[in-house]
Amino acid sequence: MEAEYKKLIQSQETDELLEEERVKEYDKLKQEAGKRTAVLRQQLYTVEKEQKDLQEILDRELCKKVQINRQQQGIKNAIADANIRLQKIDCYIKEKELSLHEKKKLQDEEQAKVSSANEEIEKVKSELETLVKHLNQMNIGSELFLKEKKKQDIVKDLKMAFGDNILGRMSDLCHPAHERYKLAITKVMGKNLNALVVKSKQTALEVIHYLKTFHLPPEIILPLDTIKVYPIQGRLRNLCIPSGENVKLLYDVIHCKVRVIEPAVRFAVSNCLLCETTDTAVYVAYKLDPTVKYNVVSLDGTYYKKGGVLSSGKVSLQQKAKQWLGQEILQAQNRKTELCEKLRDLQKQSRTIPNVRQTTDEICSIEIRVKYVKEDRKKLIEKVTELQSQLEKLGTHSADADSLITDLEQKMLDHCNKRQTIQNEMNLVEDTVFSDFCHKTGIATVREYEGIGLRLYQERAEKRSELSTHKQNILTQLKYENEKLTLQTGTLKKEQELNELKAELETAKLHVQQAEEDKINHSQKLKDLKLNLQTLKTKRFSTEKERVKAQDDAKRLADDIKEGTSQLNNVRLRIENLKYEHRNLLVQCKVQGLNIPMRRGTMADIHESEPSSLNESSSTSQGVEQDERRIVIDYSQLSDSLKEASDVKKAVKELGLNIEDTMLKIRTKKPNMKVVEEFDAIQLSLKEIYSEVESTVKILRHDGHKFKKIREDRTRKFMECFSSLETQVDDIYKELYEAQNGAALLTLENPEEPYLAGVRYSVQVPHKRCVAMDCLSGGEAAMASLAFMFALNRYRKAPIIILDEPDGSLDQRNVSKFAEFLKQNIHLQIIIITHRNRSAYATVADDVIGIVKEIENGLTVSKMCILDLTEYQMNEEDNQEDEIRSSLGKQ
């Protein structure tokens, strides 16, 4: 390029010199022209300065115009926003006024509800007060009420057990015709007032057995089919008394609620007469007819019996007469309970009714809001008016700015014309000065030369400078390449050394990989050895427990054998004594001439020898044994109580006393011949009852054995599960934490019957102390729960396990440990639902299922996306290589 440029310069050397001379001549003429046009240039400068000042004023006015337009637009936007806000305020006011109307209506309704609830509460309170006063007027103590309630409860239980066969108590089934008859009826009925009325004798026996079975207090029972009822003597209703007082049958002033119990009432009062006063009662009892005696009672409770017995006691009768109020008391108490519950419900309901004061506060709040909103509306209208006035002012300023801008533009146009005139005069002067120069160069005007020739000269100068710069750059680059060539030889040596280092690195990687494989194998062997050691420790512990238990059992058996031997000797000695006493009794019976029924042998076969000394005891025992072999007594005629009697002498003495008492009663009283028949019937019913009891006892024993077997099976199955869990939960907990210094322990609260109490679960987190589950944090408790769940699954495997966010309380480290545990247990089918830490599961999962939302035909539907991860799983070599790289990167 330099050579070509030199050739071009040599060929144009004269032109280049000529060009330099023309440039010098141009500079001289330019100075001359400048001197001649100095005045015009000064005028041109003044005009340009004035034009520049006008342009600045014009630009300032244009900016001011733009600002005014922007302000106008902003005010218009503010007015539009204010109008929109006014519309919203109007809508808000209408909405709040409507809500205010609804709130006031709701307030009226709530006040009406509260007033009605308060009125209802006052009514219930007044009724409750009246009822309490009535109960107080009855003067009924709590003891009597509880006693009466207990009696009523017994009747209810009996009715539930025997149904309609139980009619009720006499005091509940009948009542006096008037209050003044209560004392008389109470006196005559006596204990029968609280008697139970039943339909049949069989029911009465069953009730007696029921009361004994459940240890209830004894009751007087009146069976309607067997009680002896005397007929009512109608003539007693027409007795004539000199005093003219009325004498009534007590039966006539008793009203029965059901006609079925009339026999029981007649049995209780018989043909007893009722008189108004005691004098009348004495007259009727003893003086009306000396040949006939009557049972008479007065209204004050004085009772005159046929045998002449007189009984009264008004205070005690009044206390007993309160039993007639039993039903009324219970009804009043029940009504009191109902009223209390109703009052409680009404008070609760009144509390649940929305608070009227709260509604009033809401109304006041809404009114205040509406008031403030109306004030805001008023202020907003004022603001809109002010903005409109500002907009009118800005319109006036904009018109003034437009007129000023028009004047400035006209002045600018005048200055441009003046500037052009001065410039034309300056061009005429320059043309006069450069006329010869233009004639020589062959150009029309000097401005053409300035536009073409001078520009070409300047371009060539720039090209010369550029060629020089380019040459210098090439020399610098050549120098750099020479230096680079010198360094290339050393670079080849460095590359050779680098290849050798890479080969050594590959060999080291192979050695590291082999070492990792050996490490994995050794760790697996170590884990197997630890499992075997744990198994051996468990077997040793169980064997030790069995050995200790066997020693305790052997010791206990030795004690039992020793005790049993002593008891056996005592029993043998007692048997010998009993045999000897038995023979003596037989000898005494033979001496006294008593005939004892025998199954085998006779009384003559009994030897009457008596031992005279201790040396003859052996012969006596032989005689007793011979008598027992020859004689067998028949005990079938004895009663069951005597058969089971442990003390024969005491039983014989009691029998003798009973015989004497019976003979004395027979001698003093006339025997009832029907007693034997009744006794036989009772005996028959007792046998039936005993047979039922025996069958029931057999059923209970069978059920007891069955329950015992079920309890044993339950305990055995529970302990099988617990033993498995006790071992597995500790192993799994250590696998989860990948540490052997952690532990999970299960202990029973009740070792005898474990299913009746709980199981304590204690955990020792690695590097911490052993605590219960309640003292663990959320993540630690989650890990312990997972260990227990998988231990339970190992005992009783499930076909599939679904875990819903098991990592909710776990950090990233524990989630990775859990994922590693899942990787080791690939035989389990597990579905995990999670929203976090998904990358940890992706390395061990087979499939990933995602639920996404899509829009189809304008509707949002849920779709399931399933991704099979088995195609992307790394093999063991790649996985080991990644682990080696990560470990090298950490180093």
Side-chain angles (χ1 to χ4, degrees):
M1 288 175 65
E2 187 179 9
E4 289 177 358
Y5 183 75
K6 286 181 179 180
K7 288 180 181 180
L8 181 62
I9 292 300
Q10 290 176 0
S11 62
Q12 297 180 355
E13 186 176 1
T14 56
D15 296 337
E16 187 70 23
L17 295 174
L18 180 61
E19 188 66 28
E20 290 180 359
E21 290 178 357
R22 287 178 181 175
V23 170
K24 291 179 180 179
E25 186 179 359
Y26 168 77
D27 292 336
K28 291 179 180 180
L29 292 174
K30 192 69 175 175
Q31 291 177 0
E32 182 66 24
K35 293 178 181 178
R36 292 182 182 182
T37 58
V39 177
L40 294 174
R41 193 180 301 109
Q42 184 66 31
Q43 293 177 358
L44 182 63
Y45 174 75
T46 304
V47 172
E48 286 179 350
K49 184 177 180 182
E50 291 177 356
Q51 187 178 3
K52 186 177 180 181
D53 294 338
L54 290 173
Q55 185 65 40
E56 289 178 357
I57 295 170
L58 181 61
D59 292 340
R60 191 163 54 250
E61 291 297 326
L62 289 173
C63 290
K64 187 177 179 181
K65 172 69 175 177
V66 171
Q67 290 178 358
I68 290 171
N69 291 334
R70 288 178 179 175
Q71 289 179 0
Q72 286 179 340
Q73 188 64 35
I75 291 172
K76 288 179 181 179
N77 293 334
I79 292 172
D81 294 339
N83 291 327
I84 293 171
R85 189 178 175 190
L86 281 173
Q87 293 177 359
K88 291 182 179 180
I89 288 173
D90 293 337
C91 295
Y92 180 78
I93 290 172
K94 290 180 181 179
E95 181 181 353
K96 289 300 177 183
E97 287 178 350
L98 182 61
S99 175
L100 186 62
H101 177 70
E102 292 178 354
K103 290 287 183 183
K104 288 182 178 180
K105 186 177 178 181
L106 180 62
Q107 184 185 19
D108 297 337
E109 293 177 357
E110 289 174 356
Q111 288 178 350
K113 287 182 180 178
V114 170
S115 60
S116 63
N118 291 333
E119 291 176 359
E120 188 69 23
I121 289 171
E122 291 299 328
K123 289 180 182 178
V124 173
K125 283 184 178 179
S126 62
E127 187 178 355
L128 187 59
E129 290 176 359
T130 306
L131 188 59
V132 171
K133 288 180 181 179
H134 180 60
L135 287 173
N136 292 334
Q137 288 174 0
M138 290 181 184
N139 195 16
I140 304 301
S142 59
E143 295 181 0
L144 181 60
F145 169 71
L146 294 174
K147 186 177 180 181
E148 190 64 27
K149 190 172 184 304
K150 187 175 181 180
K151 291 181 180 179
Q152 294 294 334
D153 293 340
I154 292 173
V155 174
K156 287 182 181 179
D157 295 339
L158 291 174
K159 284 185 177 181
M160 290 179 63
F162 301 100
D164 296 336
N165 292 325
I166 305 297
L167 298 177
R169 293 191 183 276
M170 183 74 77
S171 58
D172 297 332
L173 297 174
C174 62
H175 60 88
H178 195 271
E179 290 289 331
R180 62 199 187 108
Y181 302 139
K182 280 186 178 180
L183 292 177
I185 296 173
T186 304
K187 184 63 178 179
V188 174
M189 282 192 174
K191 294 183 179 180
N192 291 326
L193 184 61
N194 289 322
L196 285 171
V197 182
V198 300
K199 289 186 176 180
S200 62
K201 179 182 177 181
Q202 181 65 28
T203 306
L205 295 174
E206 292 175 355
V207 169
I208 292 171
H209 182 263
Y210 179 86
L211 295 174
K212 289 181 178 179
T213 303
F214 292 97
H215 302 287
L216 296 175
E219 298 284 351
I220 298 173
I221 304 173
L222 300 177
L224 295 177
D225 61 342
T226 58
I227 59 174
K228 187 175 182 180
V229 180
Y230 296 98
I232 298 298
Q233 298 179 10
R235 64 181 181 82
L236 297 177
R237 294 188 177 99
N238 301 319
L239 291 176
C240 295
I241 306 300
S243 61
E245 295 182 5
N246 293 326
V247 178
K248 301 178 182 179
L249 281 171
L250 190 61
Y251 174 77
D252 294 337
V253 297
I254 298 174
H255 290 174
C256 300
K257 294 183 179 179
V258 289
R259 296 185 61 84
V260 183
I261 67 162
E262 290 181 356
V265 176
R266 290 202 301 270
F267 172 80
V269 299
S270 185
N271 288 312
C272 183
L273 296 174
L274 176 64
C275 296
E276 297 287 337
T277 61
T278 56
D279 295 336
T280 306
V282 171
Y283 176 79
V284 173
Y286 303 120
K287 299 177 182 180
L288 180 62
D289 189 356
T291 60
V292 181
K293 301 296 183 180
Y294 301 102
N295 289 330
V296 184
V297 64
S298 61
L299 290 179
D300 62 353
T302 306
Y303 190 24
Y304 304 91
K305 296 184 179 180
K306 293 180 181 180
V309 179
L310 172 65
S311 62
S312 63
K314 189 174 181 180
V315 177
S316 61
L317 279 178
Q318 288 177 351
Q319 189 67 22
K320 292 179 180 179
K322 290 180 180 180
Q323 296 177 4
W324 292 100
L325 299 174
Q327 195 68 23
E328 185 178 353
I329 293 168
L330 291 176
Q331 291 177 358
Q333 288 291 343
N334 293 332
R335 180 59 181 168
K336 180 182 176 182
T337 306
E338 291 176 1
L339 289 175
C340 290
E341 291 179 355
K342 186 177 180 181
L343 180 61
R344 197 179 300 112
D345 295 338
L346 287 173
Q347 289 175 350
K348 187 185 294 184
Q349 186 177 0
S350 65
R351 287 194 297 271
T352 56
I353 294 174
N355 194 355
V356 179
R357 185 175 180 182
Q358 182 180 358
T359 308
T360 306
D361 294 340
E362 291 178 358
I363 291 172
C364 293
S365 176
I366 292 172
E367 289 177 349
I368 292 171
R369 289 179 186 176
V370 171
K371 179 182 176 181
Y372 286 136
V373 169
K374 286 182 178 179
E375 291 178 358
D376 291 342
R377 184 177 182 277
K378 185 178 179 180
K379 291 180 182 178
L380 193 60
I381 292 173
E382 293 176 356
K383 185 178 180 181
V384 169
T385 306
E386 184 180 356
L387 289 173
Q388 288 177 352
S389 63
Q390 291 178 4
L391 185 63
E392 291 177 357
K393 290 180 181 179
L394 288 175
T396 305
H397 293 323
S398 177
D400 296 340
D402 290 338
S403 62
L404 182 60
I405 288 169
T406 305
D407 295 339
L408 290 172
E409 287 177 350
Q410 184 63 39
K411 289 180 180 180
M412 284 287 295
L413 184 60
D414 294 341
H415 279 77
C416 286
N417 294 332
K418 188 176 179 180
R419 179 174 172 276
Q420 188 63 35
T421 303
I422 294 171
Q423 186 69 37
N424 291 334
E425 291 178 359
M426 289 176 65
N427 290 336
L428 288 174
V429 174
E430 285 181 353
D431 290 340
T432 304
V433 174
F434 284 99
S435 60
D436 295 337
F437 181 78
C438 292
H439 182 70
K440 289 179 183 179
T441 56
I443 57 177
T445 60
V446 68
R447 287 176 295 281
E448 183 179 352
Y449 175 75
E450 290 175 351
I452 298 174
L454 188 61
R455 182 174 55 80
L456 290 174
Y457 179 77
Q458 292 175 353
E459 287 179 357
R460 282 196 294 269
E462 290 176 359
K463 190 173 182 181
R464 245 189 342 265
S465 175
E466 181 182 356
L467 181 61
S468 176
T469 304
H470 188 55
K471 179 180 178 182
Q472 187 65 33
N473 291 336
I474 289 173
L475 291 174
T476 304
Q477 188 177 1
L478 182 62
K479 184 179 179 181
Y480 170 73
E481 292 295 335
N482 288 329
E483 292 177 355
K484 186 177 178 182
L485 185 62
T486 349
L487 295 172
Q488 190 173 6
T489 308
T491 306
L492 292 174
K493 292 181 180 179
K494 295 292 182 183
E495 287 181 354
Q496 186 175 0
E497 293 177 359
L498 181 63
N499 292 330
E500 292 176 358
L501 290 174
K502 285 183 179 179
E504 292 178 0
L505 179 63
E506 293 295 330
T507 307
K509 285 183 179 179
L510 292 175
H511 288 306
V512 169
Q513 185 176 358
Q514 185 66 30
E516 287 292 332
E517 291 178 357
D518 295 340
K519 178 183 176 182
I520 292 170
N521 294 330
H522 288 310
S523 63
Q524 186 64 33
K525 290 180 181 179
L526 180 62
K527 189 181 291 185
D528 295 339
L529 290 173
K530 286 182 179 179
L531 290 174
N532 294 332
L533 179 61
Q534 187 67 24
T535 307
L536 291 173
K537 285 182 178 179
T538 307
K539 289 182 178 179
R540 178 179 172 276
F541 181 70
S542 60
T543 307
E544 188 68 22
K545 286 170 65 177
E546 291 177 357
R547 184 181 66 80
V548 173
K549 186 177 179 182
Q551 289 179 354
D552 295 339
D553 293 341
K555 187 176 180 181
R556 197 182 308 111
L557 287 173
D559 295 339
D560 293 341
I561 290 170
K562 186 176 180 181
E563 184 179 358
T565 305
S566 63
Q567 291 179 359
L568 181 61
N569 294 328
N570 293 332
V571 169
R572 286 176 178 173
L573 182 60
R574 188 179 176 188
I575 288 171
E576 292 296 330
N577 293 332
L578 289 175
K579 287 180 179 179
Y580 181 72
E581 291 178 1
H582 180 262
R583 184 177 179 280
N584 290 337
L585 286 173
L586 290 176
V587 170
Q588 291 177 8
C589 291
K590 181 178 179 182
V591 171
Q592 294 176 5
L594 297 177
N595 188 12
I596 298 175
M598 300 285 184
R599 289 186 180 178
R600 186 173 62 198
T602 60
M603 295 294 292
D605 298 332
I606 301 173
H607 297 282
E608 298 180 3
S609 61
E610 288 290 338
S612 60
S613 63
L614 294 174
N615 295 328
E616 298 177 358
S617 60
S618 59
S619 61
T620 304
S621 61
Q622 292 177 1
V624 170
E625 291 177 359
Q626 291 176 2
D627 291 343
E628 286 182 352
R629 285 195 296 270
R630 292 195 303 267
I631 300 170
V632 178
I633 300 173
D634 186 8
Y635 295 102
S636 61
Q637 297 179 8
L638 292 177
S639 62
D640 295 336
S641 60
L642 294 176
K643 290 178 182 179
E644 297 175 358
S646 59
D647 193 348
V648 178
K649 293 182 179 179
K650 186 177 179 181
V652 171
K653 186 176 180 181
E654 289 178 356
L655 281 174
L657 293 175
N658 290 333
I659 291 170
E660 292 178 359
D661 293 338
T662 305
M663 295 301 294
L664 180 61
K665 289 179 181 179
I666 291 172
R667 286 194 298 268
T668 56
K669 294 184 180 180
K670 296 181 180 179
N672 187 3
M673 304 308 295
K674 294 183 178 180
V675 171
V676 178
E677 298 177 359
E678 293 179 358
F679 178 79
D680 294 335
I682 293 171
Q683 193 72 20
L684 181 61
S685 62
L686 283 174
K687 287 182 180 179
E688 294 176 356
I689 292 171
Y690 287 147
S691 62
E692 292 178 0
V693 169
E694 289 177 358
S695 61
T696 306
V697 169
K698 289 180 181 179
I699 293 171
L700 288 174
R701 288 176 180 173
H702 176 71
D703 293 341
H705 291 303
K706 191 175 180 181
F707 174 77
K708 185 178 180 181
K709 184 179 179 182
I710 291 171
R711 184 173 62 184
E712 292 174 355
D713 293 338
R714 187 178 182 184
T715 305
R716 178 178 53 78
K717 292 180 180 180
F718 184 92
M719 291 307 297
E720 288 178 358
C721 178
F722 179 80
S723 300
S724 175
L725 289 178
E726 189 178 12
T727 306
Q728 295 293 338
V729 72
D730 184 64
D731 297 337
I732 293 175
Y733 188 80
K734 291 176 180 177
E735 290 180 16
L736 274 173
Y737 270 103
E738 298 179 357
Q740 294 296 323
N741 55 355
L745 306 175
L746 293 176
T747 55
L748 294 174
E749 293 182 358
N750 186 1
E752 299 296 330
E753 293 184 83
Y755 47 81
L756 295 181
V759 178
R760 294 191 186 92
Y761 188 17
S762 303
V763 173
Q764 182 184 0
V765 182
H767 309 295
K768 293 185 179 180
R769 62 188 181 87
C770 184
V771 295
M773 281 284 290
D774 299 338
C775 302
L776 296 176
S777 64
E780 294 170 350
M783 294 289 280
S785 302
L786 289 171
F788 184 85
M789 186 199 70
F790 282 104
L792 189 62
N793 184 67
R794 285 189 182 179
Y795 172 73
R796 192 67 60 85
K797 295 187 181 298
I800 189 169
I801 300 173
I802 300 176
L803 302 177
D804 188 4
E805 297 186 16
D807 52 359
S809 303
L810 302 180
D811 54 6
Q812 184 65 36
R813 183 180 178 184
N814 287 331
V815 170
S816 302
K817 291 180 180 179
F818 179 53
E820 185 65 26
F821 174 81
L822 295 177
K823 184 178 180 181
Q824 295 176 3
N825 294 269
I826 57 175
H827 59 281
L828 299 176
Q829 300 187 41
I830 303 176
I831 295 176
I832 297 177
I833 303 170
T834 183
H835 299 283
R836 54 195 293 271
N837 301 317
R838 289 168 287 189
S839 59
Y841 301 112
T843 59
V844 299
D846 296 328
D847 298 303
V848 174
I849 302 173
I851 308 299
V852 297
K853 289 184 178 180
E854 293 184 2
I855 298 177
E856 293 182 1
N857 300 325
L859 299 175
T860 303
V861 297
S862 298
K863 287 192 175 182
M864 186 183 296
C865 298
I866 302 176
L867 178 64
D868 186 4
L869 295 179
T870 55
E871 302 176 2
Y872 308 101
Q873 294 290 339
M874 294 186 297
N875 53 22
E876 295 182 359
E877 296 179 357
D878 296 338
N879 195 5
Q880 292 176 359
E881 186 176 354
D882 288 343
E883 292 178 357
I884 293 169
R885 288 177 181 174
S886 63
S887 61
L888 289 174
K890 291 179 182 179
Q891 294 174 1

